[in-house]
Amino acid sequence: EWRRTPPNDRVQYFYKMKGLLEEHVEELGCIITEECGKTFEESVGEVRRAIENVEVACGIPMLLQGYNNEDIASGIDEHMLRQPLGVVATIAPFNFPAMVPFWFMPYAVACGNCFILKPSEKTPMASEKVFELWQQTGIPAGVVQLVNGGKEAVDRLLEHEEVGAISFVGSSEVARYVYGQATAHGKRAQCQGGAKNPVIVMPDADMEMTAKIVADSSFGCAGQRCLASSLVISVGEAGESFPEAIKAAAASRKVGYGMDKGVEMGPVITAESKSRIEGLIGQWEKEGAQVIVDGRGCTVSGYERGNFVFPTVLENVDPMGEVAGIEIFGPVLGLIQVADLDEAIGLINGARYGNMACLFTDSGAAARKFRYEATVGNVGINIGVAAPMAFFPFSGWKNSFFGDLHGQGRHAVEFFTQTKIVVERWPREWSRKF
């Protein structure tokens, strides 16, 4: 029934949903902060990005347009149509419980599919609130569905014969598993994995401003985002001035409960995550790196049991060491020094991840070389978090993505639809009869 609903009618629910999300931005922000730990400002920003995707999906009548060629031969017309897959599902992570589902959900539903969301078991409450808002739009029962659970629920979705496509965001290990299982069962799959996002700082960059932007990228959301900067590669003389600048920016960051005024960074998601992050900092030390800002063993007054890891910076990191290739997923930044831009790009292109890389420079030639040669899906020039707007796909290369079409924008429309080519003959002598 939903497939047969005209696209213009489908998007009316999205207009209602946008209004409801706008009305409940702060309530959703509070829920995200309470269960995820990020600051209230970060949580509200996440909801705003979700709203952007609803806005783009409202244009689905135009995005679904195919190709229509009349008279490809005498009396023969040819058309390409886009039709929905049927039932599709998304397995979402804990770190952006409101935003990530909206990389997929608005597009899937607007294209005529029914949609199942399986949120992270660590952060279920934001999804529950979102689905309460869906009910308020009056959207027909069953068009959007919510199922909670862990691996058992994931495996059931991967195996179920009526689920035609799977979207996933999480670690690369799980992304590889989900992609393998989904495709083995004949499903489409788009699986966003982990990252180790490097930043190159050239000698001509504004060091104070660059340090501020990199600190926001590395320590925002407590480093728990797939576009967090985790390595800085300083080129030439930048290696002399940047460490002191980032040291000051990291040490001054205010850590605490995300709803408290002035707090710039909250806790990490679990005690297990805190222990893992601190263990990787120690492993980096054993590999020869020196800690210049140490966030281990820190507490926040009044929240002594909180899972806090303060901003941490290590210099003289071995780019060939084990930890340099591991996604820490916490507020930890490693510093590397190289001689020139070619060496820096070589380190990026030799890494197993390819989610994002950024360059800070005042040189247009360096920027052009970098964006052309860097083997990553998202590139930033003087930007710390190269997060695509909703009308662009959220890219990712190498072990950061398994699949062909990404979330958001036209990629999402293509992923959630299948094309049908119609070739029809209408001989001219037949048409004269009418």
Side-chain angles (χ1 to χ4, degrees):
E1 292 178 4
W2 185 244
R3 173 189 172 182
R4 289 192 293 270
T5 303
N8 281 338
D9 293 343
R10 290 181 209 147
V11 299
Q12 300 310 311
Y13 299 102
F14 289 86
Y15 291 122
K16 294 176 184 176
M17 186 61 172
K18 170 180 160 52
L20 288 167
L21 286 169
E22 295 279 8
E23 289 176 24
H24 294 271
V25 165
E26 293 194 358
E27 182 183 357
L28 269 166
C30 289
I31 292 171
I32 294 167
T33 294
E34 292 291 347
E35 70 172 352
C36 189
K38 62 182 66 176
T39 69
F40 178 68
E41 183 179 353
E42 290 169 338
S43 298
V44 168
E46 173 183 347
V47 180
R48 292 289 179 197
R49 295 305 293 260
I51 293 170
E52 285 178 13
N53 280 282
V54 175
E55 291 171 342
V56 175
C58 286
I60 211 69
M62 181 177 294
L63 293 172
L64 280 176
Q65 287 180 353
Y67 302 101
N68 181 12
N69 290 291
E70 295 183 340
D71 290 324
I72 60 167
S74 180
I76 299 177
D77 301 335
E78 187 165 351
H79 318 277
M80 187 187 81
L81 313 175
R82 287 197 173 275
Q83 295 183 334
L85 303 177
V87 180
V88 299
T90 288
I91 302 159
F94 75 82
N95 58 329
F96 285 92
M99 182 185 74
V100 168
F102 280 87
W103 287 356
F104 313 105
M105 179 162 47
Y107 306 99
V109 176
C111 286
N113 300 282
C114 290
F115 179 89
I116 300 170
L117 173 64
K118 205 297 288 183
S120 169
E121 56 272 34
K122 297 174 183 176
T123 53
M125 299 306 294
S127 295
E128 183 171 331
K129 182 62 185 180
V130 165
F131 273 72
E132 287 178 9
L133 299 181
W134 273 121
Q135 287 184 310
Q136 292 180 37
T137 69
I139 197 166
V143 173
V144 289
Q145 303 170 56
L146 176 67
V147 58
N148 288 288
K151 185 176 183 298
E152 183 180 357
V154 170
D155 286 338
R156 187 72 184 102
L157 292 170
L158 294 175
E159 297 164 2
H160 200 291
E161 62 182 14
E162 292 187 24
V163 176
I166 295 286
S167 305
F168 172 86
V169 178
S171 70
S172 288
E173 291 72 22
V174 180
R176 185 181 289 108
Y177 170 81
V178 170
Y179 182 79
Q181 290 296 306
T183 54
H185 286 86
K187 307 181 191 308
R188 292 187 179 187
Q190 49 180 187
C191 299
Q192 195 82 33
K196 190 75 175 181
N197 305 307
V199 170
I200 299 176
V201 179
M202 298 295 288
D204 61 358
D206 181 324
M207 291 301 156
E208 184 178 349
M209 181 59 68
T210 298
K212 180 181 184 304
I213 294 172
V214 171
D216 289 341
S217 174
S218 302
F219 311 131
C221 300
Q224 299 175 125
R225 56 185 174 192
C226 59
L227 292 181
S229 301
S230 52
L231 290 172
V232 170
I233 306 171
S234 298
V235 175
E237 296 176 359
E240 300 174 9
S241 53
F242 184 79
E244 284 303 314
I246 193 65
K247 179 179 178 180
S252 64
R253 203 164 193 89
K254 185 176 180 181
V255 182
Y257 172 42
M259 295 301 294
D260 285 350
K261 189 175 181 180
V263 168
E264 299 171 284
M265 193 184 91
V268 297
I269 189 68
T270 62
E272 291 77 14
S273 181
K274 174 183 177 180
S275 177
R276 175 184 173 277
I277 293 166
E278 292 184 339
L280 286 170
I281 296 170
Q283 187 175 336
W284 235 344
E285 279 189 295
K286 291 178 182 178
E287 292 180 2
Q290 290 85 49
V291 179
I292 59 174
V293 180
D294 197 342
R296 293 169 294 182
C298 300
T299 59
V300 174
S301 178
Y303 307 103
E304 285 77 12
R305 295 177 61 192
N307 303 317
F308 292 102
V309 180
F310 280 42
T312 300
V313 182
L314 301 95
E315 63 179 350
N316 298 323
V317 164
D318 180 3
M320 299 296 109
E322 183 179 358
V323 183
I326 295 174
E327 182 179 38
I328 296 177
F329 220 60
V332 182
L333 182 65
L335 308 183
I336 298 170
Q337 295 187 23
V338 298
D340 54 38
L341 180 57
D342 283 323
E343 186 179 356
I345 293 175
L347 290 177
I348 291 172
N349 293 352
R352 67 191 186 103
Y353 291 118
N355 208 34
M356 182 191 77
C358 300
L359 175 73
F360 285 84
T361 185
D362 198 34
S363 167
R368 187 177 189 279
K369 175 183 175 66
F370 173 72
R371 70 172 183 253
Y372 183 79
E373 296 183 7
T375 55
V376 298
N378 300 289
V379 171
I381 306 295
N382 298 320
I383 294 288
V385 180
M389 295 291 287
F391 37 84
F392 285 93
F394 191 102
S395 197
W397 291 11
K398 298 188 282 193
N399 281 322
S400 293
F401 182 74
F402 301 88
D404 299 298
L405 296 166
H406 299 80
Q408 296 194 153
R410 289 191 178 276
H411 272 214
V413 174
E414 292 181 28
F415 181 79
F416 290 118
T417 58
Q418 50 196 342
T419 55
K420 177 181 286 185
I421 305 300
V422 180
V423 183
E424 54 188 26
R425 181 192 297 273
W426 298 108
R428 296 187 185 282
E429 58 270 22
W430 291 4
S431 64
R432 291 195 198 101
K433 297 177 182 179
F434 303 97

